[in-house]
Amino acid sequence: MPKRRSGKQGKAKKHRFNFQVFIGKQSQNSALAVARLRKVCETEIPGEYDIEIVDLSRNPGLARDHNIVATPAVFRTLPAPVRRSIGDLADKHKVLLALDLFKPKKSKAE
């Protein structure tokens, strides 16, 4: 499947965060997970991410290669290290923890 990019079209900006969403097939649960990931990204890292959707029903060998036992599975591949989350991403706090997307708190002196 083609990559779906965030941010403005036409800019040659290098995105800081890359995500892969592994789905078992096109389903409501998969679409919901992608929508929730986009919402979290737009809130926490707007315009600084790429999301790639990978349909494991079209390439089942990738599940073995990436040790995926349940879908949808989200991998944050950049920046290193790889971080993972499994499920529909309903709990935003758990998603932020699993994918390490917490922003550093600014001190009052700044």
Side-chain angles (χ1 to χ4, degrees):
M1 288 196 138
K3 284 188 179 183
R4 297 179 186 175
R5 299 201 181 275
S6 67
K8 305 238 187 273
Q9 295 294 330
K11 286 190 175 182
K13 180 181 176 185
K14 181 78 173 170
H15 294 289
R16 204 176 76 178
F17 291 86
N18 288 336
F19 298 92
Q20 288 182 311
V21 181
F22 293 90
I23 60 173
K25 61 181 177 184
Q26 295 292 336
S27 69
Q28 184 177 0
N29 199 34
S30 297
L32 193 55
V34 172
R36 287 178 175 155
L37 177 61
R38 273 201 182 92
K39 184 175 180 180
V40 166
C41 288
E42 280 303 316
T43 302
E44 301 298 322
I45 51 171
E48 297 182 29
Y49 66 93
D50 283 327
I51 297 174
E52 178 183 7
I53 313 284
V54 180
D55 188 342
L56 295 174
S57 67
R58 295 181 182 187
N59 194 346
L62 288 175
R64 183 185 58 251
D65 296 346
H66 292 287
N67 297 320
I68 298 171
V69 295
T71 59
V74 179
F75 287 32
R76 189 202 73 201
T77 56
L78 287 176
V82 172
R83 303 294 302 251
R84 303 170 191 207
S85 182
I86 297 173
D88 64 3
L89 310 181
D91 187 332
K92 182 180 176 181
H93 184 73
K94 287 182 180 179
V95 172
L96 292 173
L97 272 174
L99 299 177
D100 194 22
L101 293 177
F102 281 107
K103 292 181 183 176
K105 299 225 182 211
K106 292 183 179 180
S107 68
K108 291 184 180 184
E110 290 182 30

